[in-house]
């Protein structure tokens, strides 16, 4: 009989998981793995059949009460044979007792409901070319996020994410192939956006802003780093202003997921959430 075992992923395994995600059309960032590993080194699991990887999942612990599940994949030739469900059981056990989130693809949402996840909102990926000459609102300046005291960056992120994630955020904003911008007004943070290189459209996430005008300026400034390249933002419909902005910028919908939780929808600032950080880690 074949031997199936579940192991913690290595850094090389996480790069392989990104390749699998790309094959599914998820368009992960080229250097996402560095930040993912920093979030929770033991939170990535691989199912191996006679030593060969056939399934994967990420089950990231944030703080003492929150978790996020992603990267749930089984190789196409091994689907329907129970290897994914066995890995799912092990992974969700690691997050037992935590309010756990995920971003579920449309065809899997019924399965996630049966596992106790409830929909909170829909994320729609919008992508395309955007104007690169949108100025920030009066009094707002855009600066490199790496020039600010890191405590300011993490404190702002906590308005939009339900748990502390300092290690992840440090790696996410400084990894190779990405640009991170902060919007400031009189020294106060008014927005944060990170652009990362991907296999197709470059992705912007997170995209936080006090106003749609500030969000537009952040997107425009990031797009200006390569005006000929399309960008993509995973926009939560829980913030109608974010949907309107994506449409006003001329972006078109291309990919849909649902944010789902096992517990209550976390009390975060949805009015300032214009783009989620990552489908894999929240």
């Amino acid at each position: 009989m074949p031997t199936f075992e579940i192991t913690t992923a290595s850094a090389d395994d996480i790069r392989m998981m990104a390749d699998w995600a790309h094959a599914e059309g998820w368009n992960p960032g080229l250097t996402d793995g560095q930040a993912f590993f920093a979030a929770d080194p033991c939170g990535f699991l691989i199912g191996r059949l006679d030593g060969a990887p056939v399934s994967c999942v990420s089950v990231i612990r944030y703080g003492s009460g929150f978790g996020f599940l992603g990267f749930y994949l089984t190789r196409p030739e091994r689907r329907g044979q129970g290897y994914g469900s066995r890995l799912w059981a092990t992974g969700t056990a690691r997050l037992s007792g935590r309010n756990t989130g995920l971003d579920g693809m449309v065809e899997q949402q019924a399965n996630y409901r049966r596992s106790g996840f409830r929909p909170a909102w829909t994320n729609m990926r919008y992508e395309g070319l955007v104007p690169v000459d949108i100025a920030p609102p009066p009094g707002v300046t855009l600066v490199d996020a790496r020039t600010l005291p890191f405590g300011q960056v993490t404190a702002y992120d906590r308005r939009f994410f339900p748990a502390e994630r300092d290690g992840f955020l440090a790696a996410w904003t400084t990894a190779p192939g990405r640009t991170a911008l902060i919007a400031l007004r009189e020294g106060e943070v008014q927005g944060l956006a990170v652009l990362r290189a991907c296999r197709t459209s470059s992705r912007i996430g997170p995209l936080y802003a006090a106003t749609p005008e500030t969000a537009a300026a952040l997107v425009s400034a990031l797009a200006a780093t390569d005006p000929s390249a399309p960008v993509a933002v995973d926009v939560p419909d829980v913030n109608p202003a974010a949907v309107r902005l994506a449409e006003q910028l001329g972006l078109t919908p291309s990919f849909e997921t649902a944010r789902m939780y096992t517990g209550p929808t976390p009390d975060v600032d949805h009015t300032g959430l214009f783009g989620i950080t990552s489908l894999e880690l929240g």
Side-chain angles (χ1 to χ4, degrees):
M1 292 291 291
T3 299
F4 181 73
E5 61 176 348
I6 296 170
T7 64
T8 302
S10 66
D12 284 343
D13 287 331
I14 294 175
R15 284 190 284 271
M16 176 196 68
M17 291 164 67
D19 290 338
W20 290 4
H22 173 63
E24 296 292 323
W26 297 356
N27 191 29
L30 297 179
T31 57
D32 282 359
Q34 298 179 31
F36 289 167
F37 207 62
D40 184 351
C42 296
F44 299 84
L45 305 179
I46 300 287
R48 303 182 190 275
L49 186 64
D50 289 338
V54 297
S55 56
C56 64
V57 72
S58 59
V59 279
I60 305 304
R61 294 172 173 171
Y62 290 109
S64 60
F66 187 64
F68 204 87
L69 187 150
F71 267 128
Y72 181 47
L73 282 168
T74 299
R75 300 298 291 154
E77 67 275 12
R78 291 298 180 183
R79 290 173 185 171
Q81 300 172 33
Y83 301 119
S85 60
R86 290 167 66 179
L87 185 64
W88 173 272
T90 299
T92 53
R94 187 174 191 268
L95 300 179
S96 178
R98 295 168 179 260
N99 185 7
T100 299
L102 60 76
D103 288 312
M105 297 179 65
V106 173
E107 60 269 25
Q108 291 295 328
Q109 289 167 19
N111 291 330
Y112 296 142
R113 285 188 179 93
R114 285 192 287 270
S115 294
F117 288 84
R118 293 182 292 276
W121 67 75
T122 295
N123 299 311
M124 182 63 72
R125 181 169 299 168
Y126 284 84
E127 56 188 308
L129 298 172
V130 300
V132 297
D133 57 354
I134 301 174
V140 173
T141 58
L142 307 184
V143 302
D144 188 326
R146 294 169 297 182
T147 65
L148 258 69
F150 188 59
Q152 277 188 271
V153 181
T154 58
Y156 189 65
D157 182 68
R158 282 289 285 112
R159 290 177 49 180
F160 307 96
F161 194 76
E164 184 179 286
R165 51 176 181 174
D166 293 9
F168 166 78
L169 195 64
W172 191 255
T173 55
T174 61
R178 57 192 66 200
T179 302
L181 294 179
I182 287 278
L184 290 175
R185 184 195 295 273
E186 297 180 353
E188 296 294 324
V189 178
Q190 300 291 300
L192 167 65
V194 180
L195 175 77
R196 67 194 193 276
C198 299
R199 289 164 173 81
T200 56
S201 299
S202 294
R203 304 264 299 279
I204 296 176
L207 177 58
Y208 308 143
T211 66
E213 293 76 18
T214 298
L218 285 164
V219 171
S220 179
L222 291 173
T225 62
D226 187 355
S228 64
V231 298
V233 187
D234 291 303
V235 177
D237 70 356
V238 71
N239 182 4
V243 177
R244 289 194 297 271
L245 176 62
E247 294 171 346
Q248 290 165 2
L249 290 174
L251 303 177
T252 56
S254 63
F255 187 81
E256 180 181 335
T257 59
R259 175 62 58 90
M260 308 176 79
Y261 295 101
T262 56
T265 300
D267 184 16
V268 298
D269 180 5
H270 294 125
T271 63
L273 180 60
F274 286 80
I276 65 169
T277 303
S278 159
L279 296 180
E280 295 83 11
L281 269 69

